[in-house]
C-alpha cells in the first residue's frame, strides 16, 4: 500500500494529521521558542528585577519625602499668611494700625506721648512689614497693662525694639538740704518712660481671607462693634438730659 492509498483510509488520514500537527509544533517552537525562553525567569533575571524594585522603592521614598516637605512648607506658608495683616480683611495698615493702637491706649486710659506714622518695607513678592513708633510714660502697672493689651491685638504685633527706663526726672534723695526735683513735681519713683517700635507682618499674596480660612474678626467688625457700644452708652446720657429738661 502506497502513501496515496493509505491517505484514502481513515487511519492514514489520522496519521497524516498527527504528523502535520507535530511539524507545526516544531515550526512554532523554532520560531517563537527563543522569545519564549527569554521570559522564563532564572537566578540572574530574578536578581536584576529585585535590584530594580529596590531602586524604585528608593526613588519612591525620596519622592514621598519631598512631597511631605512640600506639604509642610505649604502648610507653614498658609499659616503664616493667615496670621499676617491682610488689608482686605483688617483694613489699610497705614491708617488702621495707628488708630487701633490709639483705641487700645484709650481703653486702658493710658495717654501715649506720641504715635508715629506707619512705615512699610517689602520682605518678598507676597509679604511686607509695617512698623510704627510709640512712646509714653506712666506707672509700672499701667505700662505693663498697656503692653499686655497691645499683645492681644490680632494679627499679633511684635516689638522690634523696646526701651523702658525710670522717669529721668526722679532722682533719689541725697539728703542734702532741699527736696529733689521729683519731690517738687510729685513724681513717684515707680514711673517709667518707654519707647519702641511695633512691627506686624502683612500679606498681599494671591490667597484670599476665605481661602486661608481666617476665623479672627476683622478690624472692620471690631470698629463697628465699638461704635455700636458708644451709641448705646450715649443713649442713656441723652435720655437723662431730656428728663432734666
Amino acid at each position: 500500500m502506497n502513501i496515496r492509498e493509505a491517505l484514502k483510509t481513515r487511519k492514514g488520514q489520522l496519521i497524516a494529521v498527527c504528523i502535520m500537527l507535530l511539524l507545526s509544533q516544531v515550526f512554532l517552537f523554532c520560531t517563537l521558542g527563543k522569545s519564549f525562553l527569554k521570559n522564563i525567569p532564572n537566578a540572574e533575571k530574578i536578581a536584576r528585577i529585585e535590584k530594580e524594585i529596590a531602586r524604585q522603592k528608593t526613588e519612591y521614598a525620596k519622592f514621598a519625602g519631598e512631597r511631605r516637605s512640600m506639604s509642610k512648607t505649604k502648610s507653614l506658608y498658609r499659616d503664616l499668611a493667615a496670621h499676617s495683616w491682610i488689608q482686605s480683611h483688617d483694613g489699610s495698615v497705614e491708617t488702621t494700625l495707628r488708630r487701633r493702637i490709639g483705641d487700645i491706649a484709650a481703653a486702658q486710659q493710658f495717654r501715649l506721648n506720641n504715635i508715629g506714622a506707619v512705615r512699610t518695607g517689602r520682605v518678598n513678592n507676597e509679604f511686607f512689614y509695617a512698623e510704627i513708633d510709640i512712646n509714653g510714660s506712666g506707672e509700672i502697672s499701667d505700662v505693663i497693662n498697656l503692653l499686655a493689651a497691645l499683645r492681644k491685638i490680632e494679627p499679633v504685633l511684635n516689638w522690634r525694639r523696646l526701651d523702658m527706663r525710670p522717669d529721668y526726672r526722679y532722682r533719689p534723695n541725697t539728703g542734702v538740704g532741699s527736696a529733689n526735683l521729683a519731690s517738687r513735681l510729685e513724681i513717684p519713683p515707680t514711673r517709667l518712660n518707654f519707647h519702641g517700635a511695633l512691627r506686624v507682618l502683612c500679606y498681599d499674596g494671591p490667597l484670599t481671607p476665605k481661602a486661608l480660612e481666617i476665623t479672627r474678626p476683622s478690624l472692620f467688625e471690631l470698629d463697628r462693634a465699638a461704635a455700636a457700644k458708644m451709641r448705646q452708652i450715649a443713649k442713656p446720657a441723652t435720655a437723662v438730659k431730656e428728663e432734666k429738661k
Side-chain angles (χ1 to χ4, degrees):
M1 181 182 295
N2 55 28
I3 297 175
R4 182 176 297 179
E5 291 178 351
L7 291 176
K8 290 181 180 179
T9 64
R10 187 172 182 82
K11 185 177 180 181
Q13 293 174 351
L14 182 61
I15 293 172
V17 169
C18 291
I19 293 172
M20 291 178 65
L21 287 174
L22 181 61
L23 292 174
S24 65
Q25 292 294 327
V26 171
F27 175 77
L28 290 174
F29 180 79
C30 292
T31 55
L32 303 178
K34 292 182 179 180
S35 61
F36 177 75
L37 290 174
K38 288 181 180 179
N39 296 326
I40 297 177
N42 54 30
E44 182 181 354
K45 292 179 180 178
I46 292 173
R48 187 167 59 251
I49 292 172
E50 287 179 346
K51 185 177 180 180
E52 179 65 17
I53 291 173
R55 187 184 68 82
Q56 293 288 345
K57 285 183 177 180
T58 302
E59 290 185 358
Y60 176 78
K62 182 180 178 181
F63 170 77
E66 291 176 351
R67 184 175 180 180
R68 286 193 298 269
S69 178
M70 291 174 62
S71 178
K72 185 178 180 180
T73 302
K74 182 179 179 181
S75 177
L76 291 173
Y77 169 86
R78 290 177 63 89
D79 185 66
L80 183 62
H83 289 85
S84 299
W85 187 292
I86 301 176
Q87 301 200 82
S88 61
H89 183 268
D90 301 307
S92 174
V93 70
E94 286 83 358
T95 57
T96 308
L97 177 60
R98 193 173 190 275
R99 185 178 71 249
R100 189 65 180 152
I101 292 174
D103 292 344
I104 290 293
Q108 294 291 318
Q109 297 182 346
F110 191 99
R111 184 176 179 179
L112 291 170
N113 297 335
N114 180 59
I115 305 178
V118 175
R119 306 181 299 275
T120 60
R122 179 61 60 176
V123 178
N124 54 33
N125 291 334
E126 298 178 359
F127 288 93
F128 66 98
Y129 67 85
E131 191 173 280
I132 185 170
D133 293 324
I134 67 171
N135 67 73
S137 59
E139 287 294 312
I140 293 177
S141 58
D142 296 333
V143 173
I144 291 175
N145 289 336
L146 175 65
L147 299 183
L150 291 175
R151 184 64 180 173
K152 293 179 181 178
I153 294 179
E154 291 184 323
V156 175
L157 306 180
N158 295 291
W159 289 98
R160 191 176 70 84
R161 69 175 187 277
L162 177 62
D163 182 33
M164 291 190 293
R165 300 181 183 182
D167 196 310
Y168 69 92
R169 293 173 294 179
Y170 176 77
R171 296 193 301 272
N173 195 335
T174 58
V176 178
S178 61
N180 58 34
L181 177 61
S183 299
R184 293 199 300 273
L185 297 176
E186 297 181 354
I187 300 173
T190 55
R191 190 172 180 84
L192 288 178
N193 284 329
F194 76 92
H195 65 273
L198 280 166
R199 176 178 286 188
V200 63
L201 185 66
C202 307
Y203 174 75
D204 59 356
L207 297 180
T208 63
K210 184 177 180 181
L212 293 171
E213 299 178 352
I214 296 176
T215 58
R216 69 173 184 270
S218 69
L219 295 184
F220 297 127
E221 295 174 357
L222 294 176
D223 288 344
R224 285 197 294 267
K229 187 175 181 180
M230 292 299 294
R231 287 195 297 269
Q232 291 176 357
I233 294 174
K235 285 181 180 179
T238 305
V240 170
K241 291 180 179 179
E242 291 179 352
E243 289 178 2
K244 289 182 178 180
K245 291 179 179 180

